[in-house]
Amino acid sequence: MREFSRPKVVISRCLEFDHCRYNGDMISSPVVVKLKKHVDFLPVCPEVEIGLGVPRNPVRIVLDKGDHRLVQPSSGKDVTEDMKSFCSNFLDSIYEVDGFILKFRSPSCGLKDVKVYPSAGSHGGAVEKISGYFGGAVLGRYPFHPVEDEGRLRNARIKEHFLTKLFTFAAFRKVKSEGSIKDLINFHAQNKFLLMAYNQAELQKLGEIAANREKRPWKDLISDYENHLYSALSRAPRYTSTINVLMHALGFFSDQLSSREKALFFDWVQKYREGRASVCPAINMIRSWIVRFEDGYLMSQTFFEPYPEDLIEINPVESHLREDLWK
């Protein structure tokens, strides 16, 4: 059982923390409920923070002479500058954040698909869709961090990628704060299989950085490693890369397994390849062999448990062939 660093996550306060939606509602999110056990959350509601209150008349993003403005149609109040100031001041004030979970399609917190209207009083359709003010500021300030909305986290593959990045970055933050070459080498060694699945080119670069043959100062070394770690985890791994890692792990036990055991493993891998099963059965077979043969090196690999096990949910198989859904 792995020990996990507690990620620090900024979250929209209306998501399981407070009845602060414009109509006084609080949004339910099973993912957030489960994460509360493992994560240190910093809840925030930008609209309340700029004085709009609860309940409140809704705000919307409108076009005004080619500019986007955040207005409250019922009162005609323009709160654009207040919101921009809040976003800047808040993001300047937070320290060592690992990720964000924000409200879906909110004019303040939305990350994408936020409607822009032709005018404050328009009853017609949206003319375009963009990020909300706070959501856009977060994406601009933290382009490589795990940032998602509660809507997209309903997708199992998006959630898996988000959680993997979140707990990996939290573990790296601890290494960075302790300032030890030994800790960096251990971190890299434990994440080797995970990085192999995500990006083999970046894995090689990260290995060279961690080796530090040029005896670079810690500050330069850790900054370089951090940038390449962000790049390595920027996109979820393809299913073919995951299969390659599974086959690599199998090689550690191949001579010790019966033909029937290997056949069963290959069968689960093929079902995963064809989108007829999740990757879990194949991973669990590898994990059982790790325990059986007491392989300490593989036992330390985060690939086999990238985040706490109780965050894994049993979902219907989602075909990896539909990768466009979770990019």
Side-chain angles (χ1 to χ4, degrees), residues 75-91:
S75 65
K77 187 176 183 180
D78 187 322
V79 294
T80 308
E81 300 310 318
D82 290 340
M83 181 60 75
K84 287 182 177 179
S85 294
F86 167 77
C87 294
S88 178
N89 292 336
F90 178 84
L91 293 178

Side-chain angles (χ1 to χ4, degrees), residues 242-263:
T242 299
I243 291 173
N244 287 340
V245 173
L246 290 172
M247 299 304 292
H248 182 67
L250 176 67
F252 282 70
F253 315 109
S254 187
D255 294 339
Q256 299 166 281
L257 299 173
S258 70
S259 58
R260 292 180 66 184
E261 286 177 305
K262 286 187 278 190

Side-chain angles (χ1 to χ4, degrees), residues 291-309:
V291 173
R292 174 176 157 191
F293 298 113
E294 299 181 343
D295 191 303
Y297 174 68
L298 290 186
M299 201 171 290
S300 72
Q301 289 301 309
T302 61
F303 173 83
F304 299 107
E305 192 180 3
Y307 49 84
E309 195 171 43

Side-chain angles (χ1 to χ4, degrees), residues 4-5 8 15 26 42 53 59 73 80 86 97 109 124-125 135 201 203 206 227 236 241 261 290 293 297 321:
F4 293 90
S5 298
K8 297 180 180 180
L15 300 176
M26 181 171 68
L42 177 58
V59 292
T80 308
F86 167 77
V97 64
C109 290
L203 167 63
L206 287 163
N227 290 334
S241 298
E261 286 177 305
I290 291 172
F293 298 113
Y297 174 68
L321 302 180

Side-chain angles (χ1 to χ4, degrees), residues 86-321:
F86 167 77
C87 294
S88 178
N89 292 336
F90 178 84
L91 293 178
D92 285 344
S93 72
I94 59 177
Y95 180 64
E96 293 187 332
V97 64
D98 298 306
F100 296 78
I101 301 177
L102 302 179
K103 178 67 190 77
F104 185 51
R105 291 178 177 170
S106 161
S108 53
C109 290
L111 298 172
K112 59 190 300 186
D113 292 334
V114 179
K115 293 180 179 179
V116 177
Y117 295 90
S119 66
S122 172
H123 297 292
V127 293
E128 60 177 318
K129 294 182 179 180
I130 61 173
S131 299
Y133 279 83
F134 184 68
V138 166
L139 291 173
R141 188 78 67 98
Y142 295 93
F144 300 108
H145 278 57
V147 180
E148 282 296 352
D149 59 54
E150 97 287 358
R152 280 171 51 88
L153 286 177
R154 298 173 194 144
N155 179 288
R157 294 199 66 119
I158 290 174
K159 183 183 70 175
E160 179 183 1
H161 178 49
F162 173 84
L163 293 176
T164 299
K165 288 179 66 174
L166 184 66
F167 283 90
T168 302
F169 288 176
F172 176 75
R173 174 169 51 79
K174 183 179 180 182
V175 172
K176 184 178 177 181
S177 66
E178 292 177 351
S180 164
I181 294 290
K182 180 181 178 181
D183 289 333
L184 179 61
I185 291 173
N186 288 339
F187 173 86
H188 183 75
Q190 291 168 4
N191 285 282
K192 186 173 181 180
F193 277 39
L194 182 70
L195 293 166
M196 188 186 302
Y198 268 83
N199 190 315
Q200 291 198 33
E202 288 293 352
L203 167 63
Q204 183 176 353
K205 292 177 184 176
L206 287 163
E208 292 170 356
I209 295 168
N212 197 25
R213 296 183 181 90
E214 299 175 358
K215 307 300 180 184
R216 299 165 64 194
W218 172 256
K219 185 177 180 180
D220 294 343
L221 186 76
I222 200 67
S223 177
D224 198 13
Y225 192 96
E226 183 174 36
N227 290 334
H228 282 280
L229 180 64
Y230 287 162
S231 179
L233 300 186
S234 62
R235 294 174 64 89
R238 294 181 62 84
Y239 73 95
T240 49
S241 298
T242 299
I243 291 173
N244 287 340
V245 173
L246 290 172
M247 299 304 292
H248 182 67
L250 176 67
F252 282 70
F253 315 109
S254 187
D255 294 339
Q256 299 166 281
L257 299 173
S258 70
S259 58
R260 292 180 66 184
E261 286 177 305
K262 286 187 278 190
L264 180 59
F265 174 77
F266 292 143
D267 184 55
W268 280 119
V269 169
Q270 186 61 26
K271 287 177 180 176
Y272 172 63
R273 186 191 304 275
E274 295 171 356
R276 296 188 292 118
S278 74
V279 72
C280 291
I283 285 182
N284 284 336
M285 289 193 73
I286 294 288
R287 291 176 69 180
S288 71
W289 295 331
I290 291 172
V291 173
R292 174 176 157 191
F293 298 113
E294 299 181 343
D295 191 303
Y297 174 68
L298 290 186
M299 201 171 290
S300 72
Q301 289 301 309
T302 61
F303 173 83
F304 299 107
E305 192 180 3
Y307 49 84
E309 195 171 43
D310 64 341
L311 296 177
I312 299 174
E313 295 180 11
I314 304 300
N315 292 294
V317 175
E318 295 188 35
S319 173
H320 47 62
L321 302 180

